[in-house]
């Protein structure tokens, strides 16, 4: 694959990139001529130990010695715009070559899985597992995608032109790209974010999911029309429902997004039924399809909807199916069955929304409830829970003094109307961020009972705790055990099929405990919660809150899920995807189908071939535990350094994340002045280290931990563990990826800073140590030596954005040296951010 990548991607980029030199705009032509010279100056300058300021000054002294400050800054901004477009070109070339650089029938695909199960006589076992298994990808609106819609459209067209080697079309699209702005003029609203992601539902997931299901069932000779697990592959959806720290999400927006989802899936059905009707032009069938088409049109565009539920639509489709079989020998039955399957999969909801809020917000709401009733919530946790569970009614919404509390109650109330409109599938979960106790979960349970469930015998809502910090992960099994033993909650779980979903936060876990400790703590928490759930007759479903980069639980997820042993419940895979991970891994039908199949196969293989051999033995667990513990101590010591928060606040581009027009969320939780580490969101935290090309959350402490164990004579044990454990190999592999994306020479000037010099040295030493120790553990001569295609992609991307990295650090260096922030320097930092993040594709 490496040779194919070099031919199809690397060499093509060199050829097409030269087209930029001929763009018919004077300023861009000049920029295109000078940019390669700047790129070379950056490479040579950093090799010689020059600072960003010296590199930029030397460039202008040599090529524009008479230029003014204004002319210099104008050229730097043009360079930034040029590099942004180079990134787009490279993305498009990679996407166009996707099928050639990935084996679409190889390991991890549906075809490979079925062939393997047939060879091993496991087809029946596979079919049985498919009846209950599920993979749920939840799209989140986290702001790590910088392209506005018009640029995304150009990217799609550019990819298609590259597939056809249409040089004329490519040239004209590059010209269009040169004239099209990349920055969004206004911050998007939560509704805007939802609309943007619904584009992927309509144009990618609708087709890819149904394609996978049709091929899978067809290969297993299972009739499409009577398949009883349409939720095998499904999409979750956070925009419009995720209230955690986003004050702009309201119950009105939640309702609007649910309505939009329903309308857009009906649009897909309307389009499809017209295609099906072109084939089914027979008596006893055509008239039914005409009525379905008219009914969908009326439901979409008229005030009197014909179809109120998916079951009504399915009833008519099955009537057409019966007519087709009875009167026409099932001619074109396959086309109709495929459409029926789509309706079963996507219903009237399209994607499953979640509501999410921080536990501290519920605390405040409950406190005001008691205040309005002339009481005070007090005593031990058990005593407070007893008081909460004894509530029989809530004060009227208007009586609450805090508008935020009013809005939260309205949000609970709107769930009922949304479920009635689009079915329970559209919104049936409430996620509690920062969940630290039984009380946090039962607060939401009682609030939901008294609002959504007020007139119902049972509550049509799953309550989902999200455990994030290292301490919370350790407490989680005990919290869940006590909940399982609570009679009122037992009754609720029985109504919900004795199934409990638990969410685990990779991003905030890593921020809190460092890379190794967070991932190890999550695995142990999963094992313990699986055990206590099984003991109580509960099927636990784990929902992983992952980000794009390895530092936030991203990286190679397929190996992670394939590596889990039988001690972790495997009824479903649920995971968040966001930002560039959506567009890069699921943004096109080919990549979406491939990555969805990889996740599905990983989960199924873990069930079919997991067994005891994938379980870590006692010695291996003790070794990882020791390694993670040492890494945690190293990270905690670094995190407690007096310069840690000041460095984030005053050196990194952290504060600029709040100035971009890419997302509606605020930079941090809480409204207080000043920066508190615990209030900092994972995205700007990880993103800031990524901008500095230091990637601390993805590796810090790994090298120090290996060194400690090596001194104890355990390096050989770690090497053996790396060779024998897919979990451990995937864990360290993702850390290698974070290290590969680092570039410490860009910030080496900080060694001389009187405030941050010592702090930078600590980071750099651990960076060098981690590279050396990971090479020793993996017995490789270079990082990622076993994945040269991804390594090559990273190298090209980093080379493209090196001028942006240099310009950004040039601006940061000048601000630190002068103590003054000018509009130009601030804008240079901000504009450089876009290209740096887009080039990384997963924000690290």
């Amino acid at each position: 694959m490496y040779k194919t990548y070099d031919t199809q991607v690397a060499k093509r980029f060199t050829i097409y990139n030269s087209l930029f030199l001929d763009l018919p705009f004077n300023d861009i032509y000049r920029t295109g001529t000078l940019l390669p010279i700047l790129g070379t100056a950056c490479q040579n300058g950093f090799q010689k130990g020059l600072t960003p300021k010296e590199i930029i000054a030397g460039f202008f002294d040599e090529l524009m010695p008479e230029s003014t400050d204004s002319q210099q800054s104008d050229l730097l901004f043009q360079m930034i715009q040029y590099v942004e477009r180079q990134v787009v070109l490279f993305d498009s070339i990679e996407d166009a070559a996707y099928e050639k650089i990935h084996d679409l029938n190889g390991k991890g695909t549906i075809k490979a899985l079925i062939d393997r199960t047939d060879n091993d006589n496991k087809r029946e076992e596979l079919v049985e597992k498919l009846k209950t298994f599920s993979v749920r990808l939840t799209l989140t609106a986290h702001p790590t995608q910088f392209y506005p819609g018009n640029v995304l459209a150009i990217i799609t067209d550019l990819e298609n032109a590259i597939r056809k080697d249409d040089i004329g079309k490519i040239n004209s699209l590059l010209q269009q790209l040169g004239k099209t702005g990349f920055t969004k003029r206004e911050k998007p609203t939560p509704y805007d974010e939802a609309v943007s992601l619904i584009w992927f539902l309509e144009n990618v997931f609708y087709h890819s999911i149904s394609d996978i299901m049709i091929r899978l069932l067809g290969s297993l000779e299972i009739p499409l029309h009577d398949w009883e697990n349409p939720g095998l592959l499904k999409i979750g959806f956070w925009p419009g429902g995720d209230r955690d720290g986003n004050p702009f999400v309201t119950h009105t927006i939640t309702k609007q997004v649910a309505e939009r989802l329903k309308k857009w899936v009906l649009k897909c059905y309307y389009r499809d039924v017209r295609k099906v009707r072109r084939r089914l032009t027979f008596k006893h069938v055509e008239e039914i399809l005409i009525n379905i088409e008219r009914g969908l049109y009326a439901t979409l565009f008229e005030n009197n909807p014909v179809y109120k539920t998916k079951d009504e639509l399915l009833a008519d489709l099955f009537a057409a199916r019966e007519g087709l079989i009875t009167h026409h020998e099932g001619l074109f039955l396959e086309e109709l069955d495929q459409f029926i399957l789509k309706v079963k999969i996507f219903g009237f909801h399209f994607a499953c929304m979640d509501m999410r809020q921080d536990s501290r917000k519920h605390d405040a709401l409950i406190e005001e409830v008691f205040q309005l009733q002339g009481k005070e919530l007090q005593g031990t946790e058990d005593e407070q829970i007893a008081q909460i569970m004894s509530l029989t009614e809530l004060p009227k919404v208007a009586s609450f003094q805090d508008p935020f509390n009013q809005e939260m109650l309205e949000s609970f109330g709107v769930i009922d109307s949304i479920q009635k409109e689009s079915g329970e599938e559209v919104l049936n979960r409430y996620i509690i961020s920062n969940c630290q106790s039984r009380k946090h979960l039962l607060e939401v349970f009682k609030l939901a009972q008294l609002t959504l469930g007020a007139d119902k015998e049972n509550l049509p809502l799953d309550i989902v705790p999200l455990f994030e910090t290292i301490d919370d992960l350790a407490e989680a099994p005990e919290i869940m055990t006590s909940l399982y033993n609570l009679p009122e909650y037992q009754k609720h779980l029985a109504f919900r099929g004795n199934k409990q979903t638990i969410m685990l936060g990779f991003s905030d876990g890593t921020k809190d405990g460092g890379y190794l400790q967070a991932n190890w703590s999550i695995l142990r928490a999963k094992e313990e919660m699986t055990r206590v759930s099984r003991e109580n007759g509960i099927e636990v479903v784990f929902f992983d809150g992952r980000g794009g980069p390895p530092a936030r639980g991203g990286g190679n997820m397929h190996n992670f899920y394939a590596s889990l042993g039988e001690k972790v419940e495997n009824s479903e895979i649920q995971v968040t995807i966001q930002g560039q991970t959506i567009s890069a891994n699921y943004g096109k039908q080919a990549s979406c189908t491939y990555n969805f199949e990889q996740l599905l196969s990983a989960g199924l293989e873990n069930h079919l071939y997991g067994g005891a051999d994938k379980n870590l033995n006692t010695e291996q667990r003790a070794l990882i535990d020791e390694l993670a513990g040492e890494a945690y101590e190293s990270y905690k010591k670094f995190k407690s350094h007096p310069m840690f928060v000041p460095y984030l606040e005053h050196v990194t581009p952290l504060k600029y994340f709040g100035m971009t027009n890419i997302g509606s969320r605020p930079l941090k939780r809480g409204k207080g002045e000043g920066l508190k580490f615990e209030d900092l969101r994972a995205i700007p935290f990880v993103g800031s280290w990524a901008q500095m090309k230091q990637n601390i959350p993805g590796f810090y402490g790994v090298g120090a931990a290996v060194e400690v164990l090596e001194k104890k004579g355990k390096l050989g044990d770690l090497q053996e563990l790396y060779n024998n454990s897919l979990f451990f190999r995937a864990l360290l592999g993702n850390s290698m990826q974070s290290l590969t994306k680092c570039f410490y020479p860009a910030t080496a000037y900080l060694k001389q800073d009187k405030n941050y010099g010592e702090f930078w040295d600590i980071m750099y030493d651990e960076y060098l140590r981690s590279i050396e120790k990971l090479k020793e553990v993996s017995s490789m001569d270079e990082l990622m030596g076993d994945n040269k295609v991804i390594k090559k992609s990273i190298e090209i991307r980093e080379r493209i954005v090196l001028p942006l990295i240099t310009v950004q650090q040039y601006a940061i260096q000048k601000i630190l040296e002068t103590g003054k922030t000018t509009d130009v320097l601030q804008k240079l930092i901000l504009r450089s951010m876009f290209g740096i993040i887009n080039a990384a594709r997963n924000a690290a």
Side-chain angles (χ1 to χ4, degrees):
M1 284 298 176
Y2 179 76
K3 287 184 178 179
T4 304
Y5 184 89
D6 191 53
T7 303
Q8 295 294 326
V9 179
K11 286 185 169 55
R12 275 192 174 193
F13 175 69
T14 301
I15 295 166
Y16 292 146
N17 188 37
S18 65
L19 291 173
F20 274 115
L21 298 177
D22 294 323
L23 288 177
F25 317 125
N26 290 332
D27 53 348
I28 291 180
Y29 177 82
R30 184 179 179 216
T31 306
T33 304
L34 293 176
L35 183 58
I37 301 174
L38 176 60
T40 302
C42 293
Q43 288 176 336
N44 295 337
F46 285 126
Q47 285 176 359
K48 294 174 183 176
L50 299 181
T51 70
K53 186 177 162 188
E54 290 169 337
I55 292 170
I56 297 297
F59 171 78
F60 283 117
D61 286 345
E62 181 179 348
L63 294 170
M64 299 172 61
E66 306 298 325
S67 59
T68 64
D69 289 347
S70 176
Q71 288 172 327
Q72 290 180 9
S73 60
D74 284 347
L75 181 61
L76 291 179
F77 283 121
Q78 289 166 13
M79 296 277 195
I80 291 169
Q81 293 167 6
Y82 188 102
V83 172
E84 285 178 326
R85 285 151 181 81
Q86 282 185 310
V87 171
V88 166
L89 175 60
F90 187 72
D91 283 350
S92 300
I93 292 170
E94 270 201 339
D95 290 342
Y98 197 90
E99 293 91 334
K100 295 177 181 176
I101 57 179
H102 294 84
D103 187 353
L104 301 188
N105 292 312
K107 186 177 184 298
T109 63
I110 292 299
K111 183 180 185 304
L113 177 65
I114 293 174
D115 288 345
R116 184 181 179 188
T117 54
D118 283 347
N119 288 336
D120 298 335
N121 295 316
K122 285 179 175 279
R123 177 178 279 220
E124 288 186 18
E125 191 179 346
L126 171 62
V127 171
E128 283 304 306
K129 182 63 177 175
L130 286 170
K131 290 177 181 178
T132 57
F133 193 62
S134 175
V135 176
R136 176 170 173 157
L137 289 176
T138 294
L139 312 185
T140 76
H142 292 329
T144 55
Q145 175 57 265
F146 285 78
Y147 295 135
N150 53 0
V151 173
L152 288 172
I154 298 172
I155 292 172
T156 300
D157 294 340
L158 186 58
E159 179 200 337
N160 292 332
I162 292 169
R163 284 178 182 273
K164 299 172 184 175
D165 282 320
D166 188 339
I167 295 293
K169 185 75 169 176
I170 293 168
N171 189 52
S172 62
L173 288 168
L174 291 177
Q175 291 183 41
Q176 183 185 2
L177 212 54
K179 287 179 170 287
T180 303
F182 271 42
T183 54
K184 298 175 181 178
R185 295 180 179 84
E186 298 175 353
K187 270 187 180 289
T189 66
Y191 183 72
D192 294 332
E193 291 171 336
V195 169
S196 296
L197 288 185
I198 289 172
W199 184 92
F200 290 100
L201 292 178
E202 179 188 6
N203 293 286
V204 182
F205 288 103
Y206 181 77
H207 304 286
S208 286
I209 289 176
S210 52
D211 170 61
I212 295 170
M213 292 283 286
I214 289 164
R215 284 189 292 107
L216 174 63
L217 296 175
S219 298
L220 295 171
E221 299 175 344
I222 299 172
L224 300 185
H225 70 284
D226 59 2
W227 177 244
E228 294 179 358
N229 182 20
L232 178 62
L233 304 175
K234 55 187 174 184
I235 302 299
F237 203 76
W238 273 13
D242 179 10
R243 289 155 167 68
D244 180 19
N246 188 338
F248 307 111
V249 175
T250 64
H251 70 283
T252 303
I253 286 174
T254 304
K255 191 166 176 56
Q256 289 173 342
V257 171
E259 289 169 351
R260 177 87 175 203
L261 285 166
K262 179 179 179 180
K263 186 171 184 179
W264 251 246
V265 77
L266 291 178
K267 275 181 61 179
C268 292
Y269 295 160
Y270 180 70
R271 207 163 45 216
D272 273 4
V273 80
R274 288 168 64 88
K275 292 178 184 175
V276 173
R277 195 165 72 79
R278 291 176 65 180
R279 299 280 79 82
L280 304 184
T281 52
F282 322 130
K283 188 178 180 183
H284 303 297
V285 178
E286 184 179 32
E287 55 267 35
I288 299 175
L289 287 172
I290 289 172
N291 287 333
I292 291 173
E293 181 183 329
R294 288 171 177 168
L296 286 169
Y297 184 90
T299 304
L300 270 168
F301 303 113
E302 296 173 5
N303 292 328
N304 188 23
V306 172
Y307 294 114
K308 294 184 173 63
T309 68
K310 73 171 181 182
D311 291 332
E312 293 174 351
L313 174 57
L314 285 169
D316 284 352
L317 287 169
F318 275 107
R321 188 178 194 279
E322 186 178 346
L324 193 60
I325 293 170
T326 302
H327 301 286
H328 305 288
E329 295 80 37
L331 184 60
F332 296 123
L333 183 62
E334 187 176 355
E335 282 87 341
L336 183 58
D337 280 350
Q338 289 178 3
F339 182 47
I340 288 172
L341 182 64
K342 288 179 183 177
V343 176
K344 284 186 171 185
I345 293 170
F346 297 105
F348 273 25
H349 60 284
F350 215 167
C352 307
M353 296 180 71
D354 288 330
M355 210 170 263
R356 184 171 79 125
Q357 184 54 275
D358 190 283
S359 64
R360 290 165 287 192
K361 302 297 184 184
H362 306 130
D363 286 341
L365 174 56
I366 287 289
E367 283 178 17
E368 189 170 3
V369 168
F370 278 88
Q371 287 171 8
L372 290 172
Q373 294 181 346
K375 303 173 186 174
E376 186 177 349
L377 190 63
Q378 56 186 355
T380 65
E381 184 189 29
D382 285 343
E383 289 169 342
Q384 289 185 25
I385 287 173
Q387 295 173 63
I388 292 167
M389 296 303 286
S390 66
L391 287 171
T392 56
E393 61 179 356
L394 295 173
K396 293 188 181 302
V397 173
S399 63
F400 284 81
Q401 297 299 304
D402 189 333
F404 200 91
N405 288 341
Q406 290 184 346
E407 173 54 42
M408 273 198 288
L409 282 177
E410 294 277 18
S411 295
F412 277 103
V414 81
I415 297 173
D416 185 53
S417 63
I418 289 173
Q419 289 186 347
K420 287 176 180 174
E421 177 68 24
S422 302
E424 190 183 307
E425 301 103 318
V426 73
L427 177 52
N428 58 23
R429 301 200 307 193
Y430 195 112
I431 298 166
I432 307 158
S433 299
N434 193 39
C435 188
Q436 299 180 322
S437 66
R438 271 192 314 157
K439 178 186 164 219
H440 284 156
L441 195 140
L442 292 172
E443 283 174 339
V444 173
F445 176 59
K446 179 52 69 172
L447 288 167
Q449 274 189 327
L450 298 177
T451 49
L452 167 64
D455 300 319
K456 300 179 178 70
E457 183 179 349
N458 292 295
L459 179 64
L461 188 73
D462 292 327
I463 313 298
V464 181
L466 167 51
F467 300 110
E468 300 176 87
T469 68
I470 302 302
D471 289 343
D472 294 344
L473 288 166
E475 295 289 330
E478 186 178 335
I479 291 171
M480 297 314 301
T481 299
S482 62
L483 281 164
Y484 294 153
N485 292 324
L486 193 69
E488 196 166 356
Y489 197 71
Q490 277 182 346
K491 180 187 173 187
H492 169 66
L493 284 179
F495 172 67
R496 303 300 289 174
N498 282 320
K499 182 181 284 192
Q500 172 69 56
T501 302
I502 298 173
M503 190 172 180
L504 301 155
F506 281 76
S507 299
D508 283 286
T510 302
K511 179 169 76 81
D512 179 57
Y515 177 73
L516 279 183
Q517 182 70 11
N519 281 272
W520 179 235
S521 296
I522 287 171
L523 179 64
R524 288 189 305 176
K526 281 185 173 183
E527 290 176 341
E528 277 301 292
M529 285 189 281
T530 296
R531 181 183 63 80
V532 300
S533 298
R534 286 172 177 170
E535 287 174 358
N536 286 275
I538 303 298
E539 180 185 343
V540 66
V541 174
F542 294 115
F543 179 18
D544 292 335
R546 294 174 173 272
R552 296 183 49 234
N556 190 325
M557 289 190 291
H558 314 142
N559 284 345
F560 173 84
Y561 288 110
S563 72
L564 300 179
E566 61 188 3
K567 290 183 179 180
V568 176
E569 190 62 71
N570 183 39
S571 59
E572 298 186 24
I573 288 177
Q574 296 196 12
V575 60
T576 56
I577 55 171
Q578 55 199 239
Q580 295 100 317
T581 311
I582 298 174
S583 55
N585 292 352
Y586 298 92
K588 304 292 190 302
Q589 284 184 45
S591 58
C592 179
T593 299
Y594 178 79
N595 284 295
F596 228 138
E597 284 190 25
Q598 290 285 320
L599 270 182
L600 177 62
S601 292
L604 292 169
E605 282 189 11
N606 192 40
H607 169 77
L608 295 166
Y609 297 97
D613 61 316
K614 284 195 177 178
N615 293 333
L616 294 162
N617 63 39
T618 304
E619 291 78 15
Q620 291 174 324
R621 297 178 70 85
L623 191 63
I624 297 176
D625 197 53
E626 187 178 2
L627 187 73
E630 293 292 348
Y632 185 33
E633 290 305 313
S634 176
Y635 179 73
K636 276 199 299 185
K637 183 179 178 183
F638 180 62
K639 197 172 67 169
S640 63
H641 193 286
M643 285 295 107
F644 189 90
V645 173
Y647 182 84
L648 277 171
E649 189 169 14
H650 302 299
V651 180
T652 76
L654 175 72
K655 56 182 168 287
Y656 297 98
F657 277 85
M659 300 178 187
T660 59
N661 288 336
I662 54 169
S664 64
R665 329 175 93 210
L667 181 67
K668 60 187 179 71
R669 295 177 174 93
K671 299 179 181 177
E673 293 297 319
L675 182 66
K676 291 182 181 178
F677 178 79
E678 57 271 20
D679 288 337
L680 191 58
R681 290 190 170 280
I683 285 174
F685 175 74
V686 173
S688 297
W689 294 113
Q691 288 287 311
M692 300 294 287
K693 288 297 162 186
Q694 292 166 337
N695 289 339
I696 289 298
F699 75 86
Y700 196 91
V702 175
V706 173
E707 187 173 74
V708 170
L709 267 66
E710 184 180 14
K711 288 177 180 176
K712 295 179 181 180
K714 297 183 178 181
L715 178 60
D717 295 336
L718 288 171
Q719 290 171 332
E720 186 179 346
L721 179 64
Y722 182 86
N723 290 328
N724 295 332
S725 168
L726 180 57
F727 169 78
F728 190 62
R729 201 157 57 247
L731 196 62
L732 295 195
N734 283 340
S735 208
M736 289 182 199
Q737 188 180 137
S738 290
L739 285 161
T740 303
K741 293 183 179 182
C742 291
F743 187 67
Y744 273 79
T747 56
Y749 66 91
L750 289 167
K751 286 192 294 186
Q752 311 305 322
D753 189 280
K754 65 178 192 283
N755 294 318
Y756 303 108
E758 179 209 352
F759 186 73
W760 188 90
D761 281 336
I762 293 171
M763 282 189 286
Y764 185 56
D765 287 346
E766 179 59 13
Y767 162 72
L768 293 177
R769 182 164 40 239
S770 294
I771 291 175
E772 192 59 35
K773 296 307 169 189
L774 282 174
K775 286 196 294 186
E776 288 180 14
V777 171
S778 64
S779 302
M780 288 193 288
D781 295 330
E782 59 179 4
L783 295 183
M784 300 185 70
D786 57 344
N787 203 332
K788 292 190 175 182
V789 168
I790 294 178
K791 184 179 176 69
K792 180 73 171 178
S793 176
I794 292 172
E795 286 175 355
I796 296 173
R797 290 174 180 279
E798 296 301 314
R799 189 165 64 244
I800 291 170
V801 294
L802 184 59
L804 297 197
I805 295 165
T806 310
V807 168
Q808 187 182 79
Q809 290 302 324
Y810 156 78
I812 290 173
Q813 186 181 0
K814 289 193 74 170
I815 290 171
L816 287 173
E817 288 180 356
T818 63
K820 297 177 182 177
T821 305
T822 67
D823 288 343
V824 170
L825 293 175
Q826 180 172 292
K827 190 178 176 186
L828 282 172
I829 294 171
L830 192 61
R831 290 292 288 109
S832 298
M833 288 174 66
F834 299 167
I836 293 171
I837 283 193
N838 281 332
R841 273 208 162 184
N842 61 16

